[in-house]
Amino acid sequence: GAVVSQHPSWVICKSGTSVKIECRSLDFQATTMFWYRQFPKQSLMLMATSNEGSKATYEQGVEKDKFLINHASLTLSTLTVTSAHPEDSSFYICSARGTGVLSYEQYFGPGTRLTVT
Amino acid sequence: TQLLEQSPQFLSIQEGENLTVYCNSSSVFSSLQWYRQEPGEGPVLLVTVVTGGEVKKLKRLTFQFGDARKDSSLHITAAQPGDTGLYLCAGLADDKIIFGKGTRLHILP
């Protein structure tokens, strides 16, 4: 149980284009999802917290107009990187937090490797 | 600001040796999780500890939550190359999950 999927697993796009990454909780409902960014050999950096049906909360220094987050249902959150630039190339990971007995644990997706050329 | 300090940041040891990774904070956590992440993959939850003083074992891995619920340790016995990875601790406090910066472990065959 508690499986989180991400799609795509990797994507290459040209500078200036937008890329959408999906995060799904497959066997549980996630009231809260988190989006992280990870650079090589570094830990996770929280970008934003996404709550179903409300606006995402962004961490300091993260541009909300560049990283659009939509949490349309209890099982799906999307991150759209708009007007991507090479410096946006990174490993993006989502996690989902459940309800009830799952509410104090986060389950991570497998990550999406974004390369902007 | 709540912080989770992990130590050491890097550890490279020979196969068969024992090691301990620490996760410390001045804050009290409702629960604490340990994750392991391998390159190119998302972190995988290893264990959650909830009660102060709690000890959990997962094969050769032993996890302990401090009595005051401010710190935790991960002890690996007879490390194997398959234990190589980034180990992350994460604590829940005030409905927010805080991550440590991780311990990068490399086990040499």
Short mmCIF file of all heavy atoms in Angstrom, two decimals, chain A residues 59-91:
data_model
loop_
_atom_site.label_atom_id
_atom_site.label_comp_id
_atom_site.label_asym_id
_atom_site.label_seq_id
_atom_site.Cartn_x
_atom_site.Cartn_y
_atom_site.Cartn_z
N GLU A 59 7.55 27.69 -0.73
CA GLU A 59 8.65 28.01 0.16
C GLU A 59 9.34 29.30 -0.32
O GLU A 59 9.24 29.68 -1.50
CB GLU A 59 9.65 26.87 0.22
CG GLU A 59 9.07 25.60 0.84
CD GLU A 59 8.62 25.78 2.27
OE1 GLU A 59 9.47 26.17 3.12
OE2 GLU A 59 7.43 25.53 2.55
N GLN A 60 10.01 29.91 0.61
CA GLN A 60 10.69 31.16 0.29
C GLN A 60 11.70 30.95 -0.83
O GLN A 60 12.47 29.98 -0.82
CB GLN A 60 11.41 31.69 1.53
CG GLN A 60 11.90 33.10 1.41
CD GLN A 60 12.43 33.63 2.74
OE1 GLN A 60 12.56 32.88 3.71
NE2 GLN A 60 12.72 34.91 2.79
N GLY A 61 11.67 31.85 -1.81
CA GLY A 61 12.61 31.78 -2.92
C GLY A 61 12.10 30.98 -4.11
O GLY A 61 12.77 30.94 -5.15
N VAL A 62 10.96 30.34 -3.99
CA VAL A 62 10.40 29.57 -5.10
C VAL A 62 9.35 30.43 -5.80
O VAL A 62 8.40 30.90 -5.17
CB VAL A 62 9.76 28.25 -4.60
CG1 VAL A 62 9.14 27.49 -5.77
CG2 VAL A 62 10.80 27.40 -3.88
N GLU A 63 9.53 30.62 -7.10
CA GLU A 63 8.62 31.49 -7.86
C GLU A 63 7.32 30.76 -8.17
O GLU A 63 7.31 29.80 -8.95
CB GLU A 63 9.28 31.91 -9.17
CG GLU A 63 10.57 32.71 -9.00
CD GLU A 63 11.21 32.98 -10.36
OE1 GLU A 63 10.54 33.59 -11.20
OE2 GLU A 63 12.36 32.56 -10.57
N LYS A 64 6.23 31.23 -7.60
CA LYS A 64 4.96 30.55 -7.81
C LYS A 64 4.45 30.70 -9.23
O LYS A 64 3.68 29.85 -9.71
CB LYS A 64 3.91 31.05 -6.81
CG LYS A 64 3.60 32.54 -6.91
CD LYS A 64 2.56 32.91 -5.86
CE LYS A 64 2.24 34.40 -5.95
NZ LYS A 64 1.23 34.79 -4.92
N ASP A 65 4.85 31.76 -9.93
CA ASP A 65 4.40 31.93 -11.31
C ASP A 65 5.20 31.07 -12.28
O ASP A 65 4.78 30.86 -13.42
CB ASP A 65 4.52 33.40 -11.73
CG ASP A 65 3.56 34.29 -10.95
OD1 ASP A 65 2.49 33.79 -10.56
OD2 ASP A 65 3.90 35.46 -10.71
N LYS A 66 6.32 30.60 -11.82
CA LYS A 66 7.15 29.75 -12.68
C LYS A 66 6.83 28.27 -12.44
O LYS A 66 6.83 27.48 -13.35
CB LYS A 66 8.62 30.00 -12.40
CG LYS A 66 9.54 29.15 -13.26
CD LYS A 66 10.97 29.58 -13.14
CE LYS A 66 11.84 28.78 -14.10
NZ LYS A 66 11.44 28.96 -15.50
N PHE A 67 6.57 27.94 -11.21
CA PHE A 67 6.27 26.56 -10.84
C PHE A 67 4.80 26.50 -10.41
O PHE A 67 4.46 26.71 -9.25
CB PHE A 67 7.18 26.08 -9.71
CG PHE A 67 8.64 26.09 -10.07
CD1 PHE A 67 9.46 27.14 -9.68
CD2 PHE A 67 9.20 25.05 -10.81
CE1 PHE A 67 10.81 27.15 -10.01
CE2 PHE A 67 10.54 25.06 -11.15
CZ PHE A 67 11.36 26.11 -10.75
N LEU A 68 3.95 26.20 -11.39
CA LEU A 68 2.51 26.18 -11.14
C LEU A 68 2.08 24.83 -10.60
O LEU A 68 2.39 23.80 -11.18
CB LEU A 68 1.74 26.48 -12.44
CG LEU A 68 2.06 27.82 -13.11
CD1 LEU A 68 1.27 27.96 -14.39
CD2 LEU A 68 1.77 28.98 -12.17
N ILE A 69 1.37 24.85 -9.49
CA ILE A 69 0.93 23.62 -8.87
C ILE A 69 -0.58 23.59 -8.81
O ILE A 69 -1.22 24.55 -8.40
CB ILE A 69 1.53 23.48 -7.46
CG1 ILE A 69 3.04 23.27 -7.56
CG2 ILE A 69 0.87 22.33 -6.69
CD1 ILE A 69 3.75 23.29 -6.24
N ASN A 70 -1.12 22.44 -9.21
CA ASN A 70 -2.56 22.24 -9.16
C ASN A 70 -2.85 20.91 -8.48
O ASN A 70 -2.30 19.88 -8.85
CB ASN A 70 -3.14 22.23 -10.58
CG ASN A 70 -4.65 22.11 -10.57
OD1 ASN A 70 -5.19 21.02 -10.46
ND2 ASN A 70 -5.32 23.23 -10.66
N HIS A 71 -3.71 20.94 -7.47
CA HIS A 71 -4.06 19.72 -6.73
C HIS A 71 -5.56 19.54 -6.90
O HIS A 71 -6.35 19.89 -6.03
CB HIS A 71 -3.67 19.90 -5.26
CG HIS A 71 -3.67 18.63 -4.48
ND1 HIS A 71 -2.86 18.47 -3.37
CD2 HIS A 71 -4.34 17.48 -4.62
CE1 HIS A 71 -3.06 17.26 -2.86
NE2 HIS A 71 -3.96 16.65 -3.61
N ALA A 72 -5.94 19.01 -8.08
CA ALA A 72 -7.34 18.99 -8.47
C ALA A 72 -8.16 17.92 -7.77
O ALA A 72 -9.38 18.04 -7.65
CB ALA A 72 -7.42 18.81 -9.98
N SER A 73 -7.51 16.88 -7.31
CA SER A 73 -8.26 15.80 -6.66
C SER A 73 -7.42 15.23 -5.53
O SER A 73 -6.26 15.61 -5.35
CB SER A 73 -8.60 14.70 -7.66
OG SER A 73 -7.45 13.92 -7.96
N LEU A 74 -8.00 14.31 -4.78
CA LEU A 74 -7.30 13.71 -3.64
C LEU A 74 -6.23 12.72 -4.06
O LEU A 74 -5.53 12.17 -3.21
CB LEU A 74 -8.30 13.03 -2.70
CG LEU A 74 -9.15 13.98 -1.87
CD1 LEU A 74 -10.23 13.20 -1.12
CD2 LEU A 74 -8.30 14.76 -0.87
N THR A 75 -6.10 12.49 -5.36
CA THR A 75 -5.09 11.54 -5.82
C THR A 75 -4.16 12.12 -6.88
O THR A 75 -3.29 11.42 -7.38
CB THR A 75 -5.75 10.28 -6.40
OG1 THR A 75 -6.59 10.66 -7.49
CG2 THR A 75 -6.57 9.54 -5.34
N LEU A 76 -4.32 13.39 -7.21
CA LEU A 76 -3.51 13.95 -8.29
C LEU A 76 -3.08 15.38 -8.01
O LEU A 76 -3.89 16.23 -7.68
CB LEU A 76 -4.29 13.91 -9.61
CG LEU A 76 -3.63 14.62 -10.81
CD1 LEU A 76 -2.32 13.92 -11.20
CD2 LEU A 76 -4.59 14.67 -12.00
N SER A 77 -1.78 15.59 -8.14
CA SER A 77 -1.23 16.95 -8.11
C SER A 77 -0.30 17.09 -9.31
O SER A 77 0.35 16.13 -9.70
CB SER A 77 -0.44 17.19 -6.82
OG SER A 77 0.16 18.48 -6.82
N THR A 78 -0.29 18.27 -9.90
CA THR A 78 0.58 18.50 -11.04
C THR A 78 1.48 19.71 -10.78
O THR A 78 1.08 20.68 -10.13
CB THR A 78 -0.20 18.75 -12.34
OG1 THR A 78 -1.02 19.90 -12.18
CG2 THR A 78 -1.06 17.54 -12.69
N LEU A 79 2.70 19.60 -11.29
CA LEU A 79 3.66 20.70 -11.25
C LEU A 79 4.01 21.06 -12.68
O LEU A 79 4.43 20.20 -13.45
CB LEU A 79 4.94 20.26 -10.51
CG LEU A 79 6.15 21.19 -10.63
CD1 LEU A 79 5.90 22.51 -9.93
CD2 LEU A 79 7.40 20.51 -10.04
N THR A 80 3.78 22.32 -13.04
CA THR A 80 4.13 22.79 -14.38
C THR A 80 5.27 23.78 -14.27
O THR A 80 5.14 24.80 -13.58
CB THR A 80 2.92 23.45 -15.07
OG1 THR A 80 1.84 22.51 -15.15
CG2 THR A 80 3.29 23.91 -16.47
N VAL A 81 6.35 23.44 -14.93
CA VAL A 81 7.50 24.35 -14.99
C VAL A 81 7.30 25.20 -16.24
O VAL A 81 7.35 24.69 -17.37
CB VAL A 81 8.82 23.58 -15.06
CG1 VAL A 81 10.00 24.55 -15.07
CG2 VAL A 81 8.94 22.60 -13.90
N THR A 82 7.03 26.47 -16.06
CA THR A 82 6.75 27.33 -17.19
C THR A 82 8.01 28.03 -17.69
O THR A 82 8.92 28.34 -16.90
CB THR A 82 5.71 28.40 -16.81
OG1 THR A 82 6.26 29.23 -15.78
CG2 THR A 82 4.43 27.77 -16.32
N SER A 83 8.07 28.23 -19.00
CA SER A 83 9.22 28.89 -19.62
C SER A 83 10.53 28.36 -19.02
O SER A 83 11.32 29.09 -18.42
CB SER A 83 9.12 30.41 -19.39
OG SER A 83 10.12 31.09 -20.12
N ALA A 84 10.70 27.08 -19.20
CA ALA A 84 11.85 26.40 -18.58
C ALA A 84 13.18 26.91 -19.13
O ALA A 84 13.29 27.26 -20.32
CB ALA A 84 11.74 24.90 -18.80
N HIS A 85 14.16 26.96 -18.26
CA HIS A 85 15.52 27.34 -18.63
C HIS A 85 16.48 26.25 -18.16
O HIS A 85 16.13 25.46 -17.29
CB HIS A 85 15.89 28.70 -18.01
CG HIS A 85 15.18 29.84 -18.65
ND1 HIS A 85 14.02 30.39 -18.13
CD2 HIS A 85 15.43 30.53 -19.78
CE1 HIS A 85 13.62 31.37 -18.90
NE2 HIS A 85 14.45 31.48 -19.92
N PRO A 86 17.68 26.21 -18.73
CA PRO A 86 18.64 25.17 -18.33
C PRO A 86 18.85 25.07 -16.82
O PRO A 86 19.05 23.97 -16.30
CB PRO A 86 19.92 25.59 -19.06
CG PRO A 86 19.42 26.25 -20.30
CD PRO A 86 18.19 27.00 -19.87
N GLU A 87 18.78 26.18 -16.11
CA GLU A 87 18.99 26.13 -14.66
C GLU A 87 17.84 25.45 -13.92
O GLU A 87 17.95 25.16 -12.72
CB GLU A 87 19.22 27.53 -14.08
CG GLU A 87 18.12 28.52 -14.36
CD GLU A 87 18.39 29.38 -15.59
OE1 GLU A 87 19.06 28.88 -16.52
OE2 GLU A 87 17.91 30.53 -15.62
N ASP A 88 16.73 25.19 -14.63
CA ASP A 88 15.62 24.45 -14.03
C ASP A 88 15.84 22.95 -14.12
O ASP A 88 15.05 22.16 -13.55
CB ASP A 88 14.29 24.80 -14.73
CG ASP A 88 13.94 26.27 -14.58
OD1 ASP A 88 14.23 26.84 -13.50
OD2 ASP A 88 13.39 26.85 -15.54
N SER A 89 16.87 22.54 -14.83
CA SER A 89 17.18 21.12 -14.94
C SER A 89 17.47 20.57 -13.55
O SER A 89 18.31 21.11 -12.83
CB SER A 89 18.39 20.90 -15.84
OG SER A 89 18.13 21.36 -17.16
N SER A 90 16.77 19.52 -13.19
CA SER A 90 16.92 18.97 -11.85
C SER A 90 16.10 17.69 -11.75
O SER A 90 15.46 17.26 -12.70
CB SER A 90 16.41 19.99 -10.82
OG SER A 90 16.73 19.59 -9.50
N PHE A 91 16.15 17.10 -10.58
CA PHE A 91 15.34 15.92 -10.26
C PHE A 91 14.19 16.41 -9.39
O PHE A 91 14.41 16.96 -8.31
CB PHE A 91 16.22 14.90 -9.51
CG PHE A 91 15.62 13.53 -9.38
CD1 PHE A 91 15.14 12.85 -10.48
CD2 PHE A 91 15.60 12.90 -8.14
CE1 PHE A 91 14.63 11.57 -10.36
CE2 PHE A 91 15.08 11.61 -8.01
CZ PHE A 91 14.59 10.94 -9.12
#
